[in-house]
Amino acid sequence: MTVMRFWSPTRQDASDIDEGAEEIPAKSALVPADSVAGRSVVIVIAIMTFLAALAANVAILVADASVEWRSDIAREATVQVRPTAGRDIEADVLTAAEAMRRTPGVLEARIYAQSESEALLKPWLGEGLDLSELPTPRMIVLKLDAENRVDIDRLRVELERVVPNAVLDDHHVFIERLGDMARAAVATAALVFVLILAAMAVAVTSATRAAVATNREIVEVLHMVGAADAFIAREFQRRFMALGLRGALMGGGGAVAFFVLAQFLARRWRTTGGGEQMEAMFGDFSLGVSGFLAILLLSGGVAALTGYLSRYIVLRHLRRLG
Amino acid sequence: MLTFENVGLRYGVGAETLRDINFHVAPRSFQFLTGPSGAGKTSLMRLIIMTLRPTRGLINIFGKDTAALSNEDVAETRRGIGVVFQDFRLLDHLTVYENVALPLRVLGREEWSYRGEVIELLRWVGLGERAHAVPTILSGGEKQRAAIARALISQPKLLLADEPTGNVDPTLARRILRLFIELHKSGTAVIIATHDLTLMDQYEEARRLVLADGRLHIFE
Ligand SMILES: Nc1ncnc2c1ncn2[C@@H]1O[C@H](COP(=O)(O)OP(=O)(O)O)[C@@H](O)[C@H]1O
Ligand SMILES: [Mg+2]
């Protein structure tokens, strides 16, 4: 050591100093752990992180699923040939199907046989009815090329030219409604997500205020030995960041466990009819890489947010004090 | 390095506790601040470390008007002042070692860089064996010396001690005074508030600032 201090043993008697025997002294946190209502902060943060992770993943799930539904439906269109007096419906159906098949962009045109059409109506009309007496419309289901999209308006004009009593339905109303519903669901999930974060911020703010009040003595002493406000705020930030990290890992871990369990249960339910429908609607509940990353990112964000927020609260408090 | 000009201090309403205080403290000087209990010694010290604002007058520390300082500047100024409080103000959740090291930690220094320094100082004040104890289990005299060590560790330009021998026996009081004289000889300006006449008699060369009826009388 080059700087000479008046208490340095070179000026006193150096005999009683044995440098090698120094045990390493500790460097404790300046804001004591037990001075912060730590457990309740951790629990609140854990629950909020869990809920936020749920909201975020529901949004991702619905958004992904709706894209799939819509592309599935958009690959289909139906032609309805209505029975009209004076026309041969069988001939009309064949003509319409042939015209459709000739159009580029239409991969397939499958004619529903009379019996198939009747089977579709059965649930509404009941058993034991002779449908051949009724003027039942006939269906042609078109499979459309997703890459080389057909011009629906031109297709419709073409269809009406060859078979005037045929109607083309490309499901666009249904697709639009489905899109609106999905968007509304995602927006709701996003709103819930934001509200959860806001509630968490409020909880952290009041916990920080309480911690500053509890540790007023420590803050005073730190000020007296020349600590700047930023130094003191950083000490609080460190404490709260640690709490935030603990809570976020608990909540994020809980969310991952939740989705793993949901996926497991979904697999077991798949053997039942309802399970198949669920899977068709929402996939198999698996988190996927994006969902897992979202939870990881969210947990880190929560810890950082907790730390920075408490630092900001402390700084503002100290500025007002000064 | 420290100047009071026409400083007055009033707590709430009523008469001024301190009136027309004028004095100057030179670098490397040594003075006792004395006067009966309730004369305003502690109040005057609080004015110097800026935990109290004067109701009138000017206080200049290290060439700066204290009225114009920002929070940051106040912190910066305090880093040049070591204070031994009448009630010690040690932090109970830290060890003696950590308490004494606090001003260095606040300066942003790393633990390894000051470890030797702090341990030497603890030995010098006779607390070498108590480094890992927490303040709550220390005797009054040990707390006193820990508080003194904390005030000295950063080798401040100015040292304030409020009744530093108030809780100790005469032998320890003499030792403590010798610590302050030693510090003074190493270049620090020292102000010791005390009403202990025998203590002051042990260091005749010191200036005496005497507070009485809110006014300050100076004996060089
Ligand atoms: N925070 C305070 N509020 C009101 N009055 C105070 C306060 N601190 C000190 N006083 C009064 O100011 C006077 C001087 O007190 P103090 O500075 O503690 O004197 P000393 O340290 O010389 O004993 C006393 O009359 C005391 O009652
Ligand atoms: Mg006093």
Side-chain angles (χ1 to χ4, degrees):
Chain A
M1 221 170 287
T2 48
V3 181
M4 186 65 77
R5 290 174 184 83
F6 67 92
W7 63 77
S8 164
T10 46
R11 281 192 50 184
Q12 302 280 117
D13 58 318
S15 58
D16 63 330
I17 303 277
D18 51 329
E19 287 288 345
E22 311 290 9
E23 49 180 304
I24 297 169
K27 188 183 165 198
S28 320
L30 294 180
V31 178
D34 56 11
S35 71
V36 180
R39 199 181 307 162
S40 50
V41 174
V42 170
I43 291 171
V44 167
I45 289 174
I47 293 172
M48 298 296 192
T49 308
F50 179 79
L51 293 177
L54 240 53
N57 275 286
V58 164
I60 292 174
L61 221 60
V62 171
D64 283 357
S66 86
V67 168
E68 224 160 275
W69 299 331
R70 277 181 284 172
S71 72
D72 279 355
I73 295 165
R75 274 196 289 266
E76 265 191 22
T78 16
V79 174
Q80 233 183 75
V81 182
R82 296 207 183 99
T84 311
R87 284 189 76 97
D88 178 4
I89 189 157
E90 290 299 331
D92 280 349
V93 165
L94 286 175
T95 318
E98 203 45 52
M100 293 297 99
R101 282 194 196 105
R102 274 200 311 271
T103 316
V106 177
L107 296 178
E108 202 186 300
R110 198 172 87 76
I111 300 166
Y112 269 56
Q114 175 80 38
S115 59
E116 284 175 301
S117 292
E118 286 169 9
L120 283 176
L121 289 171
K122 217 164 239 159
W124 279 273
L125 300 179
E127 296 283 338
L129 221 83
D130 188 5
L131 289 170
S132 56
E133 298 297 313
L134 282 171
T136 348
R138 297 285 303 275
M139 306 268 285
I140 304 168
V141 176
L142 307 181
K143 215 164 241 154
L144 305 177
D145 191 342
E147 269 92 67
N148 175 26
R149 291 211 65 93
V150 71
D151 183 342
I152 291 288
D153 290 331
R154 267 190 49 199
L155 196 60
R156 186 168 284 134
V157 170
E158 172 69 7
L159 183 66
E160 274 163 21
R161 194 177 59 79
V162 291
V163 184
N165 51 327
V167 184
L168 181 72
D169 179 7
D170 65 346
H171 310 313
H172 73 271
V173 176
F174 186 58
I175 290 173
E176 274 160 23
R177 197 160 297 164
L178 203 58
D180 286 345
M181 267 168 55
R183 269 190 295 278
V186 170
T188 307
L191 181 69
V192 167
F193 180 81
V194 169
L195 287 178
I196 289 169
L197 287 190
M200 186 161 63
V202 171
V204 169
T205 299
S206 68
T208 304
R209 292 225 175 95
V212 173
T214 312
N215 292 304
R216 194 166 51 212
E217 182 84 17
I218 293 170
V219 171
E220 269 174 34
V221 169
L222 287 173
H223 266 151
M224 234 75 89
V225 299
D229 293 347
F231 178 93
I232 297 171
R234 224 165 21 240
E235 292 298 321
F236 279 91
Q237 176 181 13
R238 200 166 294 162
R239 168 67 58 217
F240 274 89
M241 183 110 152
L243 293 176
L245 199 60
R246 267 219 325 268
L249 287 180
M250 279 165 61
V256 171
F258 175 88
F259 280 104
V260 168
L261 188 72
Q263 189 183 0
F264 172 74
L265 291 178
R267 278 209 187 120
R268 287 194 47 190
W269 287 333
R270 194 177 320 177
T271 46
T272 69
E276 262 166 23
Q277 282 175 19
M278 285 288 278
E279 190 177 331
M281 291 278 274
F282 295 109
D284 58 357
F285 276 103
S286 69
L287 261 186
V289 181
S290 65
F292 189 75
L293 275 182
I295 290 179
L296 207 67
L297 211 71
L298 175 71
S299 302
V302 163
L305 179 78
T306 308
Y308 277 107
L309 188 62
S310 66
R311 171 208 178 95
Y312 171 76
I313 299 294
V314 173
L315 261 185
R316 216 180 49 168
H317 173 81
L318 295 178
R319 293 238 166 83
R320 236 185 265 153
L321 220 68
Chain B
M1 68 193 316
L2 170 65
T3 310
F4 272 53
E5 267 177 55
N6 299 317
V7 171
L9 174 72
R10 187 199 305 272
Y11 285 111
V13 292
E16 279 186 322
T17 302
L18 297 173
R19 249 175 275 151
D20 298 320
I21 306 290
N22 287 286
F23 71 99
H24 178 77
V25 169
R28 302 167 166 270
S29 59
F30 192 109
Q31 40 265 302
F32 287 115
L33 173 65
T34 188
S37 188
K41 303 181 289 295
T42 300
S43 302
L44 196 141
M45 295 229 159
R46 291 189 59 198
L47 288 174
I48 299 172
I49 59 169
M50 296 169 279
T51 56
L52 209 58
R53 297 268 169 204
T55 27
R56 62 191 172 89
L58 274 179
I59 301 174
N60 194 296
I61 303 174
F62 305 146
K64 285 181 192 135
D65 177 4
T66 58
L69 295 182
S70 68
N71 272 12
E72 298 303 305
D73 294 336
V74 167
E76 165 78 30
T77 306
R78 281 180 183 150
R79 277 177 232 140
I81 308 175
V83 189
V84 184
F85 297 95
Q86 203 166 354
D87 52 356
F88 316 131
R89 298 265 182 137
L90 298 169
L91 297 180
D92 288 340
H93 71 292
L94 300 182
T95 63
V96 168
Y97 169 86
E98 289 168 333
N99 266 287
V100 171
L102 197 56
L104 301 180
R105 212 164 143 179
V106 160
L107 285 172
R109 282 180 55 183
E110 291 296 327
E111 210 263 338
W112 58 264
S113 77
Y114 59 65
R115 191 180 306 157
E117 238 169 280
V118 173
I119 287 180
E120 277 172 21
L121 178 59
L122 283 174
R123 290 210 171 103
W124 193 70
V125 298
L127 287 176
E129 305 294 311
R130 307 297 264 159
H132 299 289
V134 286
T136 42
I137 65 162
L138 298 183
S139 73
E142 286 173 327
K143 283 185 199 167
Q144 186 69 270
R145 282 176 285 155
I148 291 170
R150 187 181 64 191
L152 301 191
I153 189 66
S154 59
Q155 296 197 286
K157 289 181 272 186
L158 175 63
L159 182 111
L160 310 178
D162 197 356
E163 311 277 7
T165 60
N167 305 279
V168 299
D169 60 64
T171 321
L172 187 54
R174 250 196 313 280
R175 259 197 83 194
I176 287 174
L177 179 62
R178 277 211 305 280
L179 296 182
F180 288 128
I181 294 171
E182 199 66 41
L183 175 71
H184 158 59
K185 284 180 177 157
S186 78
T188 298
V190 177
I191 305 176
I192 297 177
T194 184
H195 56 260
D196 183 351
L197 293 175
T198 49
L199 185 77
M200 288 187 281
D201 289 340
Q202 287 167 40
Y203 196 47
E204 302 268 338
E205 301 95 304
R207 266 170 107 206
R208 293 191 187 188
L209 312 175
V210 182
L211 274 172
D213 303 323
R215 292 178 191 279
L216 189 72
H217 309 274
I218 300 174
F219 301 90
E220 300 287 343

